[in-house]
Amino acid sequence: MAIALRTFLLSIFIVGLAACSKPPTPYSWNLPHNVPPPQVPNDNPMTEEGVALGKKLFFDTALSVNESIACSSCHLPEHAFADPRTVSIGASGEALTRNALALVNVAYNASFTWAHNNLDSIEKQILIPLFNEHPVEMGVTGNESLILSRLNTPAYRESFKAAYGDSSPNMNNVVRALASYVRSLVSFNSSFDKYAYAGDDYALTPQQIRGLNLFFSERTECFHCHGGVNFTQSSKHSSQSFADQPFHNTGMYNTDGMGSYPKSDMGLYSITHNKADMGKFRAPTLRNIALTAPYMHDGSIETLEDVVAFYARGGNKRDKINPYRSPFIKGFRLTESEQAALIAFLHGLTDDKFIDTHKVHKKE
Ligand code: HEC
Ligand code: HEC
C-alpha cells in the first residue's frame, strides 16, 4: 500500500516538474553607456535561451536542404559575418547576385538587405535565405518537415523547450531564434569607440585621428551617408519612433548612358520600379569594414584603398556621370598621406573583442 502511494505521489511530482518549465532569462545587452538598446519586436523578446538556440542553428548545416551549408557559410564570424567571396553561393551551387552583408549591429538597421524598403524586421529578412527559390540559398521550401525532423534531437528539443516552452521544433521558432541571435551581434568596442566614448585619448593613433577628421569633413562627405553611432544613416534604436530609410546611388554603373545599372541588380529600383530609385542602395555600416572585403553590393571592389579611390573620382564615370548619382558623391583629391590616414581610420572601426567572442564556434 505504502509503496504504491509513494510511487503515485512521485509520479505526480515528476509530471508536475515537466509541466512547469522555467521561464526564459531576459537577455542582457551589455551595451556601452552611449548606445541605447535596439528595438525588439513584442512577439520575439530577447532571451538568453533564444539567443543560445539561434546560435546553434546559425552554424548548423541541418538547415539547408542537402546539409551542405549553414548561415555561417556565407556569414563568416572571422569576417564580421560577411563573405570573402565576391558573391555567395547557395546550397545548390547557384551563385547569388550579391555579396553577403556583414551581420554587425543589424538590430539597429532601419532597413534590411542592400536595397529594400519594405522588410521591416530581421524575422522577415531571414525568410529570404531560408525559403528563397530564385536563386536557392538554403532550399527549405518544400522541405520543411525534413529539416524540422533533423532538429528533433534530444539536445535541440531541450533548447527549444528552454527558449519557447515547446520542445518540438517548428519553423516559426527556428526563425525567432535565428533573429534573436542576429540581433545579439552588436559591436561597439572598436578603437574608435574607446577614443570617442570611453575617454581613451590614445586609442586612435595621430594618423587615425587625421583620418577621422577627413571622414567627418565636407571634403570627403563620408559621414553624410555613413554617420551616426553605427556609421550608417540608415539606423534606428529603442527611443526612436520613426526611422528614415535612405538609399543612395553612388554612381557605380551607367550601362546605357542614361543611368541604368546592370539588369542583374538595379538596387531599390528592382523593388519599386520607380526610375528615381535606379542604382540606389543602403549605405552599410562601416564598423569592422577592414574585415569584410570585397566591397559593395556586388563585391566588385577588392580593397579599402580602391573604395576610397572610387569615391575620390566621384564614382565610375568612364563614359558619363550617372544622372541618379547622389550630389554627395562629387569626387575629391587627397594627398597620399591623407588617403592613408582615412584608411587607417577605417581600420580603427574594427572591434577585436566582437570577433574574438564570436569566431570559434563549430557545430556542437
Ligand atoms: C548562400 C549565402 C547565404 C546564406 C546561406 C545566408 N545568407 Fe544572409 N545574406 C546573404 C546575402 C548575399 C545577403 C545580402 C542580401 C541582399 O542584399 O539582397 C544577406 C543578408 C542577410 C541579412 C541582412 C543584413 C542587413 O544588414 O540587412 C541577414 C539578417 C542575414 N543575411 C541573415 C542570415 C541568416 C540568419 C541565415 C541563415 C538562415 C543566412 N543569412 C544565410 C547570403 C547568405
Ligand atoms: C551618398 C552617400 C554616400 C557617401 C557620401 C559615401 N558612401 Fe560609402 N556607401 C554608400 C552606399 C549607398 C554604399 C553601397 C553602394 C553599393 O553597393 O552600390 C556604400 C558602400 C561603402 C563601402 C562598402 C561597404 C561594404 O560593406 O561593402 C565602403 C567601405 C564605403 N562606402 C566607404 C565610404 C567612404 C570612406 C566614404 C567617403 C570617402 C563614403 N563611403 C561616402 C553611400 C555613401
Side-chain angles (χ1 to χ4, degrees):
M1 245 339 241
I3 289 178
L5 183 64
R6 228 183 296 153
T7 320
F8 176 68
L9 287 176
L10 190 67
S11 66
I12 289 185
F13 178 68
I14 291 170
V15 168
L17 255 191
C20 78
S21 57
K22 218 170 93 224
T25 324
Y27 185 72
S28 53
W29 286 98
N30 287 324
L31 292 165
H33 66 90
N34 59 304
V35 180
Q39 289 178 12
V40 175
N42 292 332
D43 58 1
N44 193 16
M46 284 292 279
T47 65
E48 299 289 344
E49 292 80 358
V51 170
L53 171 58
K55 179 165 131 186
K56 262 210 278 205
L57 292 167
F58 189 89
F59 291 90
D60 196 338
T61 54
L63 280 190
S64 62
V65 56
N66 51 6
E67 299 184 84
S68 63
I69 59 169
C71 305
S72 57
S73 309
C74 301
H75 298 286
L76 284 70
E78 61 273 32
H79 294 281
F81 295 90
D83 192 340
R85 297 171 295 190
T86 306
V87 292
S88 297
I89 313 286
S92 59
E94 218 177 329
L96 312 190
T97 53
R98 289 180 175 168
N99 177 251
L101 276 159
L103 303 182
V104 172
N105 300 340
V106 180
Y108 292 89
N109 283 358
S111 69
F112 302 95
T113 78
W114 282 97
H116 207 305
N117 59 355
N118 199 20
L119 273 174
D120 55 13
S121 69
I122 301 178
E123 283 78 0
K124 282 191 198 149
Q125 147 62 29
I126 284 175
L127 301 178
I128 302 176
L130 287 172
F131 291 98
N132 211 11
E133 295 179 86
H134 306 288
V136 168
E137 292 189 47
M138 302 184 80
V140 176
T141 301
N143 301 299
E144 290 85 345
S145 46
L146 169 71
I147 285 165
L148 289 174
S149 72
R150 290 185 197 139
L151 303 180
N152 205 358
T153 63
Y156 264 123
R157 289 180 67 84
E158 200 177 302
S159 305
F160 276 98
K161 171 105 183 163
Y164 304 112
D166 177 1
S167 55
S168 53
N170 65 57
M171 271 299 160
N172 189 31
N173 286 342
V174 166
V175 170
R176 288 169 84 197
L178 284 168
S180 294
Y181 176 61
V182 169
R183 211 165 259 130
S184 78
L185 302 174
V186 295
S187 167
F188 293 104
N189 214 343
S190 64
S191 306
F192 165 79
D193 294 289
K194 290 173 195 143
Y195 175 82
Y197 302 116
D200 180 352
D201 295 350
Y202 296 98
L204 291 182
T205 65
Q207 186 195 32
Q208 286 175 317
I209 295 170
R210 267 195 294 140
L212 178 152
N213 290 326
L214 284 165
F215 185 91
F216 289 98
S217 74
E218 312 244 303
R219 252 173 97 194
T220 66
E221 305 283 11
C222 308
F223 73 105
H224 267 292
C225 307
H226 298 283
V229 74
N230 200 25
F231 288 87
T232 166
Q233 219 179 17
S234 183
S235 69
K236 61 174 185 188
H237 55 73
S238 52
S239 44
Q240 197 176 332
S241 54
F242 178 76
D244 202 10
Q245 297 190 338
F247 297 92
H248 310 274
N249 179 314
T250 58
M252 285 190 73
Y253 298 102
N254 189 2
T255 53
D256 58 359
M258 292 186 297
S260 284
Y261 266 45
K263 289 241 157 18
S264 52
D265 200 344
M266 298 176 154
L268 191 59
Y269 174 83
S270 303
I271 306 286
T272 64
H273 300 289
N274 174 354
K275 264 274 166 192
D277 292 332
M278 178 58 75
K280 282 193 177 172
F281 291 86
R282 184 186 88 196
T285 178
L286 298 184
R287 289 184 170 276
N288 299 298
I289 195 70
L291 305 175
T292 70
Y295 300 106
M296 304 307 194
H297 66 274
D298 55 0
S300 60
I301 305 188
E302 295 282 334
T303 64
L304 285 176
E305 284 74 6
D306 290 342
V307 172
V308 170
F310 161 83
Y311 283 111
R313 63 178 182 265
N316 292 327
K317 39 183 167 181
R318 270 173 229 117
D319 308 317
K320 258 196 200 157
I321 293 172
N322 188 309
Y324 302 105
R325 189 188 69 173
S326 160
F328 290 119
I329 310 288
K330 52 188 171 31
F332 50 81
R333 259 167 203 255
L334 295 181
T335 64
E336 238 171 74
S337 90
E338 285 174 328
Q339 167 167 336
L342 181 56
I343 286 158
F345 168 67
L346 294 174
H347 280 262
L349 298 176
T350 300
D351 178 348
D352 294 326
K353 195 166 155 206
F354 172 72
I355 301 301
D356 285 348
T357 308
H358 294 287
K359 104 178 146 187
V360 269
H361 310 294
K362 288 273 173 290
K363 185 173 171 178
E364 283 163 39

Short mmCIF file of all heavy atoms in Angstrom, two decimals, residues 1 17 37 51 57 59 62 66 89 95 100 120 131 135 168 245 250 253 256 259 264 349 351 360:
data_model
loop_
_atom_site.label_atom_id
_atom_site.label_comp_id
_atom_site.label_asym_id
_atom_site.label_seq_id
_atom_site.Cartn_x
_atom_site.Cartn_y
_atom_site.Cartn_z
N MET A 1 0.83 -1.21 0.00
CA MET A 1 0.00 0.00 0.00
C MET A 1 0.88 1.27 0.00
O MET A 1 0.77 2.13 -0.85
CB MET A 1 -0.87 0.00 1.27
CG MET A 1 -2.39 -0.12 1.07
SD MET A 1 -3.04 0.32 -0.49
CE MET A 1 -4.12 1.64 -0.05
N LEU A 17 6.87 18.53 -12.44
CA LEU A 17 8.16 19.12 -12.82
C LEU A 17 8.24 19.38 -14.31
O LEU A 17 8.67 20.44 -14.76
CB LEU A 17 9.28 18.13 -12.45
CG LEU A 17 10.15 18.43 -11.23
CD1 LEU A 17 11.34 17.49 -11.24
CD2 LEU A 17 10.61 19.88 -11.22
N PRO A 37 19.55 50.69 -26.30
CA PRO A 37 19.24 49.36 -26.82
C PRO A 37 18.43 49.45 -28.11
O PRO A 37 17.77 50.46 -28.36
CB PRO A 37 18.41 48.69 -25.72
CG PRO A 37 18.12 49.73 -24.71
CD PRO A 37 18.91 50.97 -25.01
N VAL A 51 18.67 33.31 -27.82
CA VAL A 51 19.93 33.65 -28.49
C VAL A 51 20.81 32.40 -28.58
O VAL A 51 21.41 32.12 -29.63
CB VAL A 51 20.66 34.80 -27.75
CG1 VAL A 51 22.07 34.99 -28.28
CG2 VAL A 51 19.85 36.09 -27.84
N LEU A 57 21.63 27.09 -34.29
CA LEU A 57 21.00 26.94 -35.60
C LEU A 57 21.82 27.63 -36.68
O LEU A 57 21.95 27.14 -37.81
CB LEU A 57 19.58 27.51 -35.58
CG LEU A 57 18.57 26.74 -34.73
CD1 LEU A 57 17.30 27.57 -34.52
CD2 LEU A 57 18.21 25.40 -35.38
N PHE A 59 24.92 28.01 -37.07
CA PHE A 59 26.11 27.28 -37.51
C PHE A 59 25.79 25.86 -37.96
O PHE A 59 26.70 25.07 -38.22
CB PHE A 59 27.14 27.25 -36.37
CG PHE A 59 27.74 28.60 -36.09
CD1 PHE A 59 27.15 29.47 -35.18
CD2 PHE A 59 28.86 29.04 -36.78
CE1 PHE A 59 27.70 30.74 -34.94
CE2 PHE A 59 29.41 30.30 -36.56
CZ PHE A 59 28.82 31.14 -35.64
N ALA A 62 22.25 21.51 -40.92
CA ALA A 62 20.95 20.83 -40.98
C ALA A 62 19.87 21.74 -41.57
O ALA A 62 18.86 21.26 -42.09
CB ALA A 62 20.53 20.38 -39.58
N ASN A 66 20.29 20.06 -48.48
CA ASN A 66 21.23 18.95 -48.66
C ASN A 66 22.34 18.96 -47.62
O ASN A 66 23.38 18.35 -47.82
CB ASN A 66 21.83 19.02 -50.08
CG ASN A 66 22.38 20.41 -50.38
OD1 ASN A 66 22.41 21.27 -49.49
ND2 ASN A 66 22.80 20.64 -51.61
N ILE A 89 27.42 31.65 -52.60
CA ILE A 89 26.92 30.50 -53.36
C ILE A 89 25.88 29.77 -52.51
O ILE A 89 26.14 29.44 -51.35
CB ILE A 89 28.07 29.51 -53.69
CG1 ILE A 89 29.31 30.23 -54.24
CG2 ILE A 89 27.59 28.40 -54.62
CD1 ILE A 89 29.20 30.73 -55.65
N ALA A 95 25.11 30.71 -57.88
CA ALA A 95 25.68 31.95 -57.34
C ALA A 95 24.57 32.97 -57.10
O ALA A 95 23.64 33.09 -57.91
CB ALA A 95 26.69 32.52 -58.32
N ALA A 100 27.53 38.91 -49.57
CA ALA A 100 26.81 38.80 -48.30
C ALA A 100 27.16 39.96 -47.38
O ALA A 100 28.33 40.31 -47.21
CB ALA A 100 27.14 37.48 -47.62
N ASP A 120 10.47 44.89 -42.73
CA ASP A 120 10.61 45.69 -41.52
C ASP A 120 11.12 44.94 -40.30
O ASP A 120 11.12 45.48 -39.21
CB ASP A 120 9.30 46.44 -41.22
CG ASP A 120 8.14 45.47 -41.14
OD1 ASP A 120 8.39 44.26 -41.07
OD2 ASP A 120 6.98 45.93 -41.15
N PHE A 131 14.01 30.40 -47.45
CA PHE A 131 12.97 29.92 -48.37
C PHE A 131 13.17 30.32 -49.83
O PHE A 131 12.46 29.84 -50.70
CB PHE A 131 11.59 30.40 -47.89
CG PHE A 131 11.17 29.73 -46.61
CD1 PHE A 131 11.35 30.35 -45.39
CD2 PHE A 131 10.62 28.46 -46.62
CE1 PHE A 131 10.98 29.74 -44.20
CE2 PHE A 131 10.24 27.83 -45.45
CZ PHE A 131 10.42 28.47 -44.23
N PRO A 135 17.66 32.90 -56.56
CA PRO A 135 18.29 31.58 -56.54
C PRO A 135 18.04 30.88 -55.19
O PRO A 135 17.70 31.54 -54.22
CB PRO A 135 19.78 31.93 -56.67
CG PRO A 135 19.90 33.27 -56.02
CD PRO A 135 18.61 33.98 -56.27
N SER A 168 8.94 20.70 -29.31
CA SER A 168 9.02 20.24 -30.69
C SER A 168 9.35 21.40 -31.62
O SER A 168 8.70 22.44 -31.62
CB SER A 168 7.75 19.50 -31.13
OG SER A 168 6.67 20.30 -30.87
N GLN A 245 14.65 55.72 -44.09
CA GLN A 245 15.32 54.64 -44.82
C GLN A 245 15.99 55.21 -46.06
O GLN A 245 15.45 55.10 -47.15
CB GLN A 245 14.31 53.57 -45.24
CG GLN A 245 13.62 52.87 -44.11
CD GLN A 245 12.82 51.67 -44.60
OE1 GLN A 245 12.45 51.59 -45.76
NE2 GLN A 245 12.58 50.73 -43.72
N THR A 250 25.59 55.65 -55.86
CA THR A 250 26.97 56.14 -55.74
C THR A 250 27.65 56.23 -57.10
O THR A 250 28.86 56.43 -57.17
CB THR A 250 27.81 55.23 -54.81
OG1 THR A 250 27.79 53.91 -55.35
CG2 THR A 250 27.28 55.22 -53.38
N TYR A 253 27.66 52.40 -61.77
CA TYR A 253 27.44 51.95 -63.15
C TYR A 253 26.62 52.98 -63.92
O TYR A 253 25.95 53.84 -63.35
CB TYR A 253 26.69 50.60 -63.15
CG TYR A 253 27.46 49.50 -62.47
CD1 TYR A 253 27.14 49.09 -61.18
CD2 TYR A 253 28.54 48.89 -63.12
CE1 TYR A 253 27.87 48.09 -60.55
CE2 TYR A 253 29.26 47.89 -62.49
CZ TYR A 253 28.93 47.49 -61.21
OH TYR A 253 29.65 46.51 -60.60
N ASP A 256 23.72 52.29 -69.90
CA ASP A 256 23.15 52.79 -71.15
C ASP A 256 23.38 54.30 -71.34
O ASP A 256 22.78 54.92 -72.20
CB ASP A 256 21.64 52.49 -71.20
CG ASP A 256 20.89 53.12 -70.02
OD1 ASP A 256 21.56 53.76 -69.17
OD2 ASP A 256 19.67 52.98 -69.95
N GLY A 259 21.83 56.19 -67.00
CA GLY A 259 21.74 55.94 -65.56
C GLY A 259 21.44 54.52 -65.15
O GLY A 259 21.34 54.22 -63.96
N SER A 264 21.13 42.60 -63.72
CA SER A 264 21.19 41.64 -62.61
C SER A 264 20.91 42.30 -61.26
O SER A 264 20.49 41.63 -60.33
CB SER A 264 22.56 40.97 -62.58
OG SER A 264 23.56 41.97 -62.59
N LEU A 349 37.86 51.08 -36.86
CA LEU A 349 36.48 50.67 -36.59
C LEU A 349 36.36 49.17 -36.36
O LEU A 349 35.27 48.63 -36.24
CB LEU A 349 35.56 51.10 -37.76
CG LEU A 349 35.50 52.61 -38.01
CD1 LEU A 349 34.65 52.92 -39.24
CD2 LEU A 349 34.95 53.33 -36.80
N ASP A 351 36.47 45.86 -34.27
CA ASP A 351 36.18 45.52 -32.87
C ASP A 351 36.70 44.09 -32.62
O ASP A 351 36.01 43.11 -32.88
CB ASP A 351 34.65 45.61 -32.69
CG ASP A 351 34.18 45.23 -31.30
OD1 ASP A 351 34.96 44.67 -30.52
OD2 ASP A 351 33.00 45.51 -31.01
N VAL A 360 34.99 31.32 -32.77
CA VAL A 360 35.41 29.92 -32.69
C VAL A 360 34.32 28.86 -32.67
O VAL A 360 34.60 27.70 -32.39
CB VAL A 360 36.33 29.68 -31.46
CG1 VAL A 360 37.78 29.86 -31.82
CG2 VAL A 360 35.91 30.58 -30.31
#
